[in-house]
Amino acid sequence: MRIFTNLSELKAAKGEHLGYTDWREISQERVNAFADATDDHQWIHVDLDRAKESPFGGTIAHGYLTLSLLPSLLGELYRVDGLRMAINYGLNKVRFSRPVPVGSRVRAGAEIVDVKGTPSGTLANLRVTIEIEGADRPACVADTLTLFVPQE
């Protein structure tokens, strides 16, 4: 994990790749829990028998489930100290370039694309790539925005 002791260090690291997280398995239990939480019970995610007949050969994770892992995955990659708070400010761009088969493992890597001051704090844009173990393309690439508010 990369630890930045202040926002100046984060800004100086613009362009740096922060490394990779540990691998995480995407289980059917996780997919089912996400389906329950979001009321998205599309068969390709939860119907094992029907999904076997699909082009994917089995159930796949929701794209938004993959995206929902970002805060936890980023928490493995870096931390900024000396803050009053950090706020999820949104996303600039998200692409789901490959489905995540249930039972596969994913990990994330991230690059600091931009860090700039705003009237409310420091806004960081990180490009996060979620990879599937053994796959030739990533599952998801997302430009995430986090607003860091310094201690006063």
Side-chain angles (χ1 to χ4, degrees):
M1 173 187 283
R2 175 72 191 274
I3 299 173
F4 299 96
T5 60
N6 56 49
L7 291 168
S8 295
E9 282 185 9
L10 178 66
K11 192 168 190 167
K14 179 179 172 180
E16 181 178 320
H17 193 275
L18 296 172
Y20 296 92
T21 65
D22 291 334
W23 291 102
R24 293 186 187 192
E25 183 176 347
I26 303 300
S27 68
Q28 188 64 54
E29 292 77 19
R30 182 187 291 255
V31 171
N32 292 346
F34 190 83
D36 289 342
T38 61
D39 290 331
D40 181 356
H41 293 93
Q42 185 183 40
W43 64 269
I44 196 63
H45 306 302
V46 297
D47 186 333
L48 282 74
D49 292 329
R50 187 172 177 194
K52 286 178 188 173
E53 304 303 320
S54 77
F56 307 116
T59 52
I60 60 171
H62 304 73
Y64 285 125
L65 170 93
T66 304
L67 191 64
S68 76
L69 297 174
L70 287 179
S72 175
L73 291 166
L74 286 172
E76 285 185 36
L77 291 177
Y78 81 112
R79 183 179 85 214
V80 181
D81 292 338
L83 299 175
R84 183 167 160 219
M85 67 179 130
I87 301 168
N88 175 359
Y89 201 74
L91 302 158
N92 275 343
K93 183 177 178 181
V94 177
R95 294 292 180 265
F96 300 110
S97 52
R98 184 175 185 86
V100 177
V102 169
S104 62
R105 297 192 327 156
V106 298
R107 72 174 182 179
E111 174 189 352
I112 302 170
V113 174
D114 195 19
V115 181
K116 62 184 176 185
T118 73
S120 302
T122 299
L123 188 63
N125 177 353
L126 274 71
R127 179 158 299 133
V128 183
T129 302
I130 299 178
E131 302 175 344
I132 306 167
E133 189 174 37
D136 60 344
R137 289 189 331 266
C140 177
V141 179
D143 285 357
T144 67
L145 301 173
T146 304
L147 181 66
F148 295 105
V149 180
Q151 290 179 348
E152 296 179 310

PDB file of all heavy atoms in Angstrom, residues 16-48:
ATOM      1  N   GLU A  16       1.849   8.296 -11.484  1.00  0.00           N
ATOM      2  CA  GLU A  16       2.383   7.081 -10.867  1.00  0.00           C
ATOM      3  C   GLU A  16       1.355   5.959 -10.876  1.00  0.00           C
ATOM      4  O   GLU A  16       0.167   6.181 -10.660  1.00  0.00           O
ATOM      5  CB  GLU A  16       2.787   7.394  -9.424  1.00  0.00           C
ATOM      6  CG  GLU A  16       3.376   6.226  -8.669  1.00  0.00           C
ATOM      7  CD  GLU A  16       3.791   6.610  -7.263  1.00  0.00           C
ATOM      8  OE1 GLU A  16       4.337   7.712  -7.065  1.00  0.00           O
ATOM      9  OE2 GLU A  16       3.560   5.788  -6.347  1.00  0.00           O
ATOM     10  N   HIS A  17       1.830   4.741 -11.114  1.00  0.00           N
ATOM     11  CA  HIS A  17       0.991   3.556 -10.973  1.00  0.00           C
ATOM     12  C   HIS A  17       1.143   3.065  -9.542  1.00  0.00           C
ATOM     13  O   HIS A  17       2.253   2.968  -9.026  1.00  0.00           O
ATOM     14  CB  HIS A  17       1.406   2.463 -11.967  1.00  0.00           C
ATOM     15  CG  HIS A  17       0.402   1.380 -12.071  1.00  0.00           C
ATOM     16  ND1 HIS A  17       0.361   0.310 -11.212  1.00  0.00           N
ATOM     17  CD2 HIS A  17      -0.643   1.218 -12.925  1.00  0.00           C
ATOM     18  CE1 HIS A  17      -0.648  -0.472 -11.539  1.00  0.00           C
ATOM     19  NE2 HIS A  17      -1.275   0.053 -12.580  1.00  0.00           N
ATOM     20  N   LEU A  18       0.020   2.772  -8.893  1.00  0.00           N
ATOM     21  CA  LEU A  18       0.039   2.420  -7.476  1.00  0.00           C
ATOM     22  C   LEU A  18       0.184   0.928  -7.213  1.00  0.00           C
ATOM     23  O   LEU A  18       0.199   0.509  -6.056  1.00  0.00           O
ATOM     24  CB  LEU A  18      -1.240   2.940  -6.799  1.00  0.00           C
ATOM     25  CG  LEU A  18      -1.394   4.450  -6.796  1.00  0.00           C
ATOM     26  CD1 LEU A  18      -2.769   4.850  -6.277  1.00  0.00           C
ATOM     27  CD2 LEU A  18      -0.291   5.106  -5.980  1.00  0.00           C
ATOM     28  N   GLY A  19       0.301   0.133  -8.245  1.00  0.00           N
ATOM     29  CA  GLY A  19       0.443  -1.303  -8.052  1.00  0.00           C
ATOM     30  C   GLY A  19      -0.885  -2.017  -8.164  1.00  0.00           C
ATOM     31  O   GLY A  19      -1.836  -1.499  -8.745  1.00  0.00           O
ATOM     32  N   TYR A  20      -0.936  -3.217  -7.575  1.00  0.00           N
ATOM     33  CA  TYR A  20      -2.094  -4.095  -7.720  1.00  0.00           C
ATOM     34  C   TYR A  20      -2.559  -4.603  -6.365  1.00  0.00           C
ATOM     35  O   TYR A  20      -1.760  -4.801  -5.456  1.00  0.00           O
ATOM     36  CB  TYR A  20      -1.745  -5.293  -8.611  1.00  0.00           C
ATOM     37  CG  TYR A  20      -1.409  -4.869 -10.010  1.00  0.00           C
ATOM     38  CD1 TYR A  20      -0.089  -4.608 -10.380  1.00  0.00           C
ATOM     39  CD2 TYR A  20      -2.409  -4.697 -10.956  1.00  0.00           C
ATOM     40  CE1 TYR A  20       0.217  -4.190 -11.659  1.00  0.00           C
ATOM     41  CE2 TYR A  20      -2.110  -4.282 -12.249  1.00  0.00           C
ATOM     42  CZ  TYR A  20      -0.795  -4.035 -12.584  1.00  0.00           C
ATOM     43  OH  TYR A  20      -0.489  -3.613 -13.850  1.00  0.00           O
ATOM     44  N   THR A  21      -3.856  -4.873  -6.279  1.00  0.00           N
ATOM     45  CA  THR A  21      -4.437  -5.457  -5.081  1.00  0.00           C
ATOM     46  C   THR A  21      -4.220  -6.965  -5.095  1.00  0.00           C
ATOM     47  O   THR A  21      -3.749  -7.533  -6.089  1.00  0.00           O
ATOM     48  CB  THR A  21      -5.954  -5.196  -5.020  1.00  0.00           C
ATOM     49  OG1 THR A  21      -6.590  -5.887  -6.108  1.00  0.00           O
ATOM     50  CG2 THR A  21      -6.269  -3.708  -5.078  1.00  0.00           C
ATOM     51  N   ASP A  22      -4.619  -7.596  -4.013  1.00  0.00           N
ATOM     52  CA  ASP A  22      -4.682  -9.048  -3.985  1.00  0.00           C
ATOM     53  C   ASP A  22      -5.843  -9.500  -4.870  1.00  0.00           C
ATOM     54  O   ASP A  22      -6.761  -8.727  -5.156  1.00  0.00           O
ATOM     55  CB  ASP A  22      -4.921  -9.553  -2.555  1.00  0.00           C
ATOM     56  CG  ASP A  22      -3.722  -9.323  -1.647  1.00  0.00           C
ATOM     57  OD1 ASP A  22      -2.580  -9.250  -2.152  1.00  0.00           O
ATOM     58  OD2 ASP A  22      -3.929  -9.207  -0.425  1.00  0.00           O
ATOM     59  N   TRP A  23      -5.803 -10.757  -5.260  1.00  0.00           N
ATOM     60  CA  TRP A  23      -6.895 -11.339  -6.044  1.00  0.00           C
ATOM     61  C   TRP A  23      -8.080 -11.621  -5.124  1.00  0.00           C
ATOM     62  O   TRP A  23      -7.894 -11.990  -3.961  1.00  0.00           O
ATOM     63  CB  TRP A  23      -6.462 -12.646  -6.696  1.00  0.00           C
ATOM     64  CG  TRP A  23      -5.457 -12.463  -7.781  1.00  0.00           C
ATOM     65  CD1 TRP A  23      -4.107 -12.676  -7.694  1.00  0.00           C
ATOM     66  CD2 TRP A  23      -5.705 -12.020  -9.122  1.00  0.00           C
ATOM     67  NE1 TRP A  23      -3.506 -12.406  -8.893  1.00  0.00           N
ATOM     68  CE2 TRP A  23      -4.459 -11.991  -9.788  1.00  0.00           C
ATOM     69  CE3 TRP A  23      -6.848 -11.637  -9.818  1.00  0.00           C
ATOM     70  CZ2 TRP A  23      -4.336 -11.603 -11.117  1.00  0.00           C
ATOM     71  CZ3 TRP A  23      -6.727 -11.254 -11.138  1.00  0.00           C
ATOM     72  CH2 TRP A  23      -5.486 -11.240 -11.781  1.00  0.00           C
ATOM     73  N   ARG A  24      -9.307 -11.442  -5.669  1.00  0.00           N
ATOM     74  CA  ARG A  24     -10.543 -11.737  -4.933  1.00  0.00           C
ATOM     75  C   ARG A  24     -11.434 -12.612  -5.791  1.00  0.00           C
ATOM     76  O   ARG A  24     -11.654 -12.324  -6.960  1.00  0.00           O
ATOM     77  CB  ARG A  24     -11.330 -10.458  -4.658  1.00  0.00           C
ATOM     78  CG  ARG A  24     -10.655  -9.539  -3.730  1.00  0.00           C
ATOM     79  CD  ARG A  24     -11.578  -8.403  -3.439  1.00  0.00           C
ATOM     80  NE  ARG A  24     -10.829  -7.427  -2.662  1.00  0.00           N
ATOM     81  CZ  ARG A  24     -11.379  -6.436  -2.050  1.00  0.00           C
ATOM     82  NH1 ARG A  24     -12.667  -6.251  -2.126  1.00  0.00           N
ATOM     83  NH2 ARG A  24     -10.648  -5.596  -1.360  1.00  0.00           N
ATOM     84  N   GLU A  25     -11.978 -13.637  -5.175  1.00  0.00           N
ATOM     85  CA  GLU A  25     -12.904 -14.497  -5.900  1.00  0.00           C
ATOM     86  C   GLU A  25     -14.293 -13.860  -5.947  1.00  0.00           C
ATOM     87  O   GLU A  25     -14.762 -13.284  -4.968  1.00  0.00           O
ATOM     88  CB  GLU A  25     -13.006 -15.871  -5.258  1.00  0.00           C
ATOM     89  CG  GLU A  25     -13.907 -16.790  -6.054  1.00  0.00           C
ATOM     90  CD  GLU A  25     -13.980 -18.200  -5.518  1.00  0.00           C
ATOM     91  OE1 GLU A  25     -13.155 -18.571  -4.673  1.00  0.00           O
ATOM     92  OE2 GLU A  25     -14.878 -18.930  -5.973  1.00  0.00           O
ATOM     93  N   ILE A  26     -14.918 -13.981  -7.094  1.00  0.00           N
ATOM     94  CA  ILE A  26     -16.295 -13.524  -7.260  1.00  0.00           C
ATOM     95  C   ILE A  26     -17.184 -14.761  -7.160  1.00  0.00           C
ATOM     96  O   ILE A  26     -17.291 -15.543  -8.108  1.00  0.00           O
ATOM     97  CB  ILE A  26     -16.497 -12.796  -8.605  1.00  0.00           C
ATOM     98  CG1 ILE A  26     -15.546 -11.607  -8.733  1.00  0.00           C
ATOM     99  CG2 ILE A  26     -17.954 -12.375  -8.762  1.00  0.00           C
ATOM    100  CD1 ILE A  26     -15.701 -10.546  -7.649  1.00  0.00           C
ATOM    101  N   SER A  27     -17.791 -14.934  -6.009  1.00  0.00           N
ATOM    102  CA  SER A  27     -18.605 -16.124  -5.740  1.00  0.00           C
ATOM    103  C   SER A  27     -20.060 -15.913  -6.154  1.00  0.00           C
ATOM    104  O   SER A  27     -20.531 -14.776  -6.277  1.00  0.00           O
ATOM    105  CB  SER A  27     -18.549 -16.459  -4.246  1.00  0.00           C
ATOM    106  OG  SER A  27     -19.221 -15.437  -3.506  1.00  0.00           O
ATOM    107  N   GLN A  28     -20.758 -17.013  -6.327  1.00  0.00           N
ATOM    108  CA  GLN A  28     -22.190 -16.925  -6.626  1.00  0.00           C
ATOM    109  C   GLN A  28     -22.934 -16.303  -5.447  1.00  0.00           C
ATOM    110  O   GLN A  28     -23.899 -15.554  -5.650  1.00  0.00           O
ATOM    111  CB  GLN A  28     -22.761 -18.308  -6.963  1.00  0.00           C
ATOM    112  CG  GLN A  28     -24.198 -18.259  -7.462  1.00  0.00           C
ATOM    113  CD  GLN A  28     -24.333 -17.512  -8.780  1.00  0.00           C
ATOM    114  OE1 GLN A  28     -23.665 -17.821  -9.758  1.00  0.00           O
ATOM    115  NE2 GLN A  28     -25.200 -16.499  -8.811  1.00  0.00           N
ATOM    116  N   GLU A  29     -22.474 -16.559  -4.244  1.00  0.00           N
ATOM    117  CA  GLU A  29     -23.115 -15.965  -3.067  1.00  0.00           C
ATOM    118  C   GLU A  29     -23.029 -14.445  -3.106  1.00  0.00           C
ATOM    119  O   GLU A  29     -23.995 -13.746  -2.787  1.00  0.00           O
ATOM    120  CB  GLU A  29     -22.478 -16.497  -1.777  1.00  0.00           C
ATOM    121  CG  GLU A  29     -22.742 -17.966  -1.509  1.00  0.00           C
ATOM    122  CD  GLU A  29     -21.883 -18.913  -2.352  1.00  0.00           C
ATOM    123  OE1 GLU A  29     -20.829 -18.498  -2.904  1.00  0.00           O
ATOM    124  OE2 GLU A  29     -22.280 -20.081  -2.499  1.00  0.00           O
ATOM    125  N   ARG A  30     -21.887 -13.929  -3.515  1.00  0.00           N
ATOM    126  CA  ARG A  30     -21.719 -12.470  -3.631  1.00  0.00           C
ATOM    127  C   ARG A  30     -22.641 -11.911  -4.715  1.00  0.00           C
ATOM    128  O   ARG A  30     -23.273 -10.881  -4.533  1.00  0.00           O
ATOM    129  CB  ARG A  30     -20.263 -12.120  -3.943  1.00  0.00           C
ATOM    130  CG  ARG A  30     -19.999 -10.615  -4.028  1.00  0.00           C
ATOM    131  CD  ARG A  30     -18.587 -10.310  -4.497  1.00  0.00           C
ATOM    132  NE  ARG A  30     -17.594 -10.671  -3.513  1.00  0.00           N
ATOM    133  CZ  ARG A  30     -16.937  -9.799  -2.738  1.00  0.00           C
ATOM    134  NH1 ARG A  30     -17.154  -8.517  -2.840  1.00  0.00           N
ATOM    135  NH2 ARG A  30     -16.048 -10.216  -1.886  1.00  0.00           N
ATOM    136  N   VAL A  31     -22.707 -12.595  -5.842  1.00  0.00           N
ATOM    137  CA  VAL A  31     -23.565 -12.158  -6.945  1.00  0.00           C
ATOM    138  C   VAL A  31     -25.034 -12.180  -6.506  1.00  0.00           C
ATOM    139  O   VAL A  31     -25.785 -11.232  -6.769  1.00  0.00           O
ATOM    140  CB  VAL A  31     -23.328 -13.026  -8.201  1.00  0.00           C
ATOM    141  CG1 VAL A  31     -24.364 -12.741  -9.276  1.00  0.00           C
ATOM    142  CG2 VAL A  31     -21.911 -12.793  -8.733  1.00  0.00           C
ATOM    143  N   ASN A  32     -25.439 -13.246  -5.821  1.00  0.00           N
ATOM    144  CA  ASN A  32     -26.828 -13.337  -5.349  1.00  0.00           C
ATOM    145  C   ASN A  32     -27.141 -12.225  -4.351  1.00  0.00           C
ATOM    146  O   ASN A  32     -28.227 -11.642  -4.388  1.00  0.00           O
ATOM    147  CB  ASN A  32     -27.093 -14.700  -4.712  1.00  0.00           C
ATOM    148  CG  ASN A  32     -27.069 -15.831  -5.721  1.00  0.00           C
ATOM    149  OD1 ASN A  32     -27.109 -15.611  -6.930  1.00  0.00           O
ATOM    150  ND2 ASN A  32     -26.988 -17.050  -5.224  1.00  0.00           N
ATOM    151  N   ALA A  33     -26.210 -11.930  -3.449  1.00  0.00           N
ATOM    152  CA  ALA A  33     -26.426 -10.861  -2.470  1.00  0.00           C
ATOM    153  C   ALA A  33     -26.546  -9.511  -3.170  1.00  0.00           C
ATOM    154  O   ALA A  33     -27.386  -8.676  -2.794  1.00  0.00           O
ATOM    155  CB  ALA A  33     -25.292 -10.839  -1.449  1.00  0.00           C
ATOM    156  N   PHE A  34     -25.739  -9.293  -4.201  1.00  0.00           N
ATOM    157  CA  PHE A  34     -25.833  -8.041  -4.960  1.00  0.00           C
ATOM    158  C   PHE A  34     -27.176  -7.969  -5.689  1.00  0.00           C
ATOM    159  O   PHE A  34     -27.814  -6.914  -5.731  1.00  0.00           O
ATOM    160  CB  PHE A  34     -24.669  -7.931  -5.947  1.00  0.00           C
ATOM    161  CG  PHE A  34     -24.561  -6.585  -6.594  1.00  0.00           C
ATOM    162  CD1 PHE A  34     -23.915  -5.540  -5.954  1.00  0.00           C
ATOM    163  CD2 PHE A  34     -25.123  -6.358  -7.842  1.00  0.00           C
ATOM    164  CE1 PHE A  34     -23.824  -4.285  -6.549  1.00  0.00           C
ATOM    165  CE2 PHE A  34     -25.038  -5.113  -8.442  1.00  0.00           C
ATOM    166  CZ  PHE A  34     -24.390  -4.068  -7.797  1.00  0.00           C
ATOM    167  N   ALA A  35     -27.605  -9.082  -6.258  1.00  0.00           N
ATOM    168  CA  ALA A  35     -28.911  -9.121  -6.929  1.00  0.00           C
ATOM    169  C   ALA A  35     -30.023  -8.760  -5.950  1.00  0.00           C
ATOM    170  O   ALA A  35     -30.923  -7.976  -6.272  1.00  0.00           O
ATOM    171  CB  ALA A  35     -29.152 -10.503  -7.534  1.00  0.00           C
ATOM    172  N   ASP A  36     -29.946  -9.297  -4.741  1.00  0.00           N
ATOM    173  CA  ASP A  36     -30.955  -8.979  -3.724  1.00  0.00           C
ATOM    174  C   ASP A  36     -30.888  -7.509  -3.324  1.00  0.00           C
ATOM    175  O   ASP A  36     -31.923  -6.863  -3.159  1.00  0.00           O
ATOM    176  CB  ASP A  36     -30.772  -9.855  -2.484  1.00  0.00           C
ATOM    177  CG  ASP A  36     -31.149 -11.310  -2.736  1.00  0.00           C
ATOM    178  OD1 ASP A  36     -31.865 -11.595  -3.726  1.00  0.00           O
ATOM    179  OD2 ASP A  36     -30.723 -12.168  -1.934  1.00  0.00           O
ATOM    180  N   ALA A  37     -29.682  -6.986  -3.175  1.00  0.00           N
ATOM    181  CA  ALA A  37     -29.518  -5.590  -2.740  1.00  0.00           C
ATOM    182  C   ALA A  37     -30.000  -4.592  -3.788  1.00  0.00           C
ATOM    183  O   ALA A  37     -30.448  -3.501  -3.451  1.00  0.00           O
ATOM    184  CB  ALA A  37     -28.060  -5.309  -2.393  1.00  0.00           C
ATOM    185  N   THR A  38     -29.917  -4.968  -5.063  1.00  0.00           N
ATOM    186  CA  THR A  38     -30.241  -4.033  -6.151  1.00  0.00           C
ATOM    187  C   THR A  38     -31.529  -4.377  -6.899  1.00  0.00           C
ATOM    188  O   THR A  38     -31.897  -3.663  -7.832  1.00  0.00           O
ATOM    189  CB  THR A  38     -29.088  -3.983  -7.168  1.00  0.00           C
ATOM    190  OG1 THR A  38     -28.904  -5.288  -7.729  1.00  0.00           O
ATOM    191  CG2 THR A  38     -27.802  -3.492  -6.520  1.00  0.00           C
ATOM    192  N   ASP A  39     -32.174  -5.457  -6.502  1.00  0.00           N
ATOM    193  CA  ASP A  39     -33.368  -5.953  -7.201  1.00  0.00           C
ATOM    194  C   ASP A  39     -33.095  -6.240  -8.675  1.00  0.00           C
ATOM    195  O   ASP A  39     -33.974  -6.114  -9.521  1.00  0.00           O
ATOM    196  CB  ASP A  39     -34.542  -4.970  -7.075  1.00  0.00           C
ATOM    197  CG  ASP A  39     -35.096  -4.905  -5.670  1.00  0.00           C
ATOM    198  OD1 ASP A  39     -35.011  -5.925  -4.956  1.00  0.00           O
ATOM    199  OD2 ASP A  39     -35.614  -3.848  -5.282  1.00  0.00           O
ATOM    200  N   ASP A  40     -31.866  -6.639  -8.982  1.00  0.00           N
ATOM    201  CA  ASP A  40     -31.491  -7.005 -10.349  1.00  0.00           C
ATOM    202  C   ASP A  40     -31.243  -8.505 -10.383  1.00  0.00           C
ATOM    203  O   ASP A  40     -30.130  -8.968 -10.168  1.00  0.00           O
ATOM    204  CB  ASP A  40     -30.247  -6.235 -10.787  1.00  0.00           C
ATOM    205  CG  ASP A  40     -29.817  -6.567 -12.218  1.00  0.00           C
ATOM    206  OD1 ASP A  40     -30.444  -7.453 -12.852  1.00  0.00           O
ATOM    207  OD2 ASP A  40     -28.853  -5.959 -12.693  1.00  0.00           O
ATOM    208  N   HIS A  41     -32.299  -9.263 -10.640  1.00  0.00           N
ATOM    209  CA  HIS A  41     -32.221 -10.719 -10.643  1.00  0.00           C
ATOM    210  C   HIS A  41     -32.239 -11.287 -12.064  1.00  0.00           C
ATOM    211  O   HIS A  41     -32.772 -12.360 -12.306  1.00  0.00           O
ATOM    212  CB  HIS A  41     -33.380 -11.304  -9.821  1.00  0.00           C
ATOM    213  CG  HIS A  41     -33.275 -10.984  -8.371  1.00  0.00           C
ATOM    214  ND1 HIS A  41     -33.884  -9.886  -7.818  1.00  0.00           N
ATOM    215  CD2 HIS A  41     -32.614 -11.590  -7.373  1.00  0.00           C
ATOM    216  CE1 HIS A  41     -33.619  -9.843  -6.526  1.00  0.00           C
ATOM    217  NE2 HIS A  41     -32.846 -10.870  -6.226  1.00  0.00           N
ATOM    218  N   GLN A  42     -31.610 -10.563 -12.989  1.00  0.00           N
ATOM    219  CA  GLN A  42     -31.555 -11.058 -14.361  1.00  0.00           C
ATOM    220  C   GLN A  42     -30.953 -12.460 -14.360  1.00  0.00           C
ATOM    221  O   GLN A  42     -29.970 -12.744 -13.655  1.00  0.00           O
ATOM    222  CB  GLN A  42     -30.744 -10.107 -15.234  1.00  0.00           C
ATOM    223  CG  GLN A  42     -30.766 -10.510 -16.689  1.00  0.00           C
ATOM    224  CD  GLN A  42     -29.898  -9.620 -17.549  1.00  0.00           C
ATOM    225  OE1 GLN A  42     -28.807  -9.238 -17.157  1.00  0.00           O
ATOM    226  NE2 GLN A  42     -30.381  -9.306 -18.738  1.00  0.00           N
ATOM    227  N   TRP A  43     -31.498 -13.331 -15.168  1.00  0.00           N
ATOM    228  CA  TRP A  43     -31.125 -14.743 -15.159  1.00  0.00           C
ATOM    229  C   TRP A  43     -29.632 -14.982 -15.386  1.00  0.00           C
ATOM    230  O   TRP A  43     -29.078 -15.936 -14.845  1.00  0.00           O
ATOM    231  CB  TRP A  43     -31.960 -15.523 -16.176  1.00  0.00           C
ATOM    232  CG  TRP A  43     -31.737 -15.106 -17.607  1.00  0.00           C
ATOM    233  CD1 TRP A  43     -32.431 -14.163 -18.304  1.00  0.00           C
ATOM    234  CD2 TRP A  43     -30.751 -15.613 -18.502  1.00  0.00           C
ATOM    235  NE1 TRP A  43     -31.930 -14.037 -19.582  1.00  0.00           N
ATOM    236  CE2 TRP A  43     -30.895 -14.929 -19.728  1.00  0.00           C
ATOM    237  CE3 TRP A  43     -29.750 -16.577 -18.397  1.00  0.00           C
ATOM    238  CZ2 TRP A  43     -30.082 -15.177 -20.824  1.00  0.00           C
ATOM    239  CZ3 TRP A  43     -28.942 -16.824 -19.490  1.00  0.00           C
ATOM    240  CH2 TRP A  43     -29.114 -16.131 -20.694  1.00  0.00           C
ATOM    241  N   ILE A  44     -28.969 -14.151 -16.173  1.00  0.00           N
ATOM    242  CA  ILE A  44     -27.549 -14.382 -16.474  1.00  0.00           C
ATOM    243  C   ILE A  44     -26.681 -14.283 -15.218  1.00  0.00           C
ATOM    244  O   ILE A  44     -25.562 -14.783 -15.178  1.00  0.00           O
ATOM    245  CB  ILE A  44     -27.045 -13.430 -17.596  1.00  0.00           C
ATOM    246  CG1 ILE A  44     -25.710 -13.922 -18.165  1.00  0.00           C
ATOM    247  CG2 ILE A  44     -26.921 -11.997 -17.084  1.00  0.00           C
ATOM    248  CD1 ILE A  44     -25.770 -15.257 -18.839  1.00  0.00           C
ATOM    249  N   HIS A  45     -27.220 -13.664 -14.173  1.00  0.00           N
ATOM    250  CA  HIS A  45     -26.491 -13.524 -12.910  1.00  0.00           C
ATOM    251  C   HIS A  45     -26.868 -14.592 -11.881  1.00  0.00           C
ATOM    252  O   HIS A  45     -26.017 -14.989 -11.084  1.00  0.00           O
ATOM    253  CB  HIS A  45     -26.741 -12.149 -12.297  1.00  0.00           C
ATOM    254  CG  HIS A  45     -26.454 -11.011 -13.209  1.00  0.00           C
ATOM    255  ND1 HIS A  45     -25.217 -10.811 -13.794  1.00  0.00           N
ATOM    256  CD2 HIS A  45     -27.245 -10.001 -13.656  1.00  0.00           C
ATOM    257  CE1 HIS A  45     -25.263  -9.728 -14.558  1.00  0.00           C
ATOM    258  NE2 HIS A  45     -26.481  -9.227 -14.494  1.00  0.00           N
ATOM    259  N   VAL A  46     -28.129 -15.041 -11.892  1.00  0.00           N
ATOM    260  CA  VAL A  46     -28.603 -15.859 -10.771  1.00  0.00           C
ATOM    261  C   VAL A  46     -29.169 -17.237 -11.137  1.00  0.00           C
ATOM    262  O   VAL A  46     -29.353 -18.068 -10.260  1.00  0.00           O
ATOM    263  CB  VAL A  46     -29.658 -15.081  -9.944  1.00  0.00           C
ATOM    264  CG1 VAL A  46     -29.039 -13.837  -9.322  1.00  0.00           C
ATOM    265  CG2 VAL A  46     -30.875 -14.720 -10.781  1.00  0.00           C
ATOM    266  N   ASP A  47     -29.449 -17.491 -12.400  1.00  0.00           N
ATOM    267  CA  ASP A  47     -30.035 -18.777 -12.806  1.00  0.00           C
ATOM    268  C   ASP A  47     -28.934 -19.654 -13.390  1.00  0.00           C
ATOM    269  O   ASP A  47     -28.608 -19.578 -14.582  1.00  0.00           O
ATOM    270  CB  ASP A  47     -31.158 -18.537 -13.824  1.00  0.00           C
ATOM    271  CG  ASP A  47     -31.922 -19.801 -14.183  1.00  0.00           C
ATOM    272  OD1 ASP A  47     -31.347 -20.913 -14.088  1.00  0.00           O
ATOM    273  OD2 ASP A  47     -33.089 -19.671 -14.583  1.00  0.00           O
ATOM    274  N   LEU A  48     -28.361 -20.505 -12.549  1.00  0.00           N
ATOM    275  CA  LEU A  48     -27.213 -21.318 -12.954  1.00  0.00           C
ATOM    276  C   LEU A  48     -27.530 -22.224 -14.135  1.00  0.00           C
ATOM    277  O   LEU A  48     -26.713 -22.343 -15.059  1.00  0.00           O
ATOM    278  CB  LEU A  48     -26.709 -22.153 -11.772  1.00  0.00           C
ATOM    279  CG  LEU A  48     -25.858 -21.409 -10.747  1.00  0.00           C
ATOM    280  CD1 LEU A  48     -26.671 -20.508  -9.871  1.00  0.00           C
ATOM    281  CD2 LEU A  48     -25.066 -22.379  -9.934  1.00  0.00           C
TER     282      LEU A  48
END
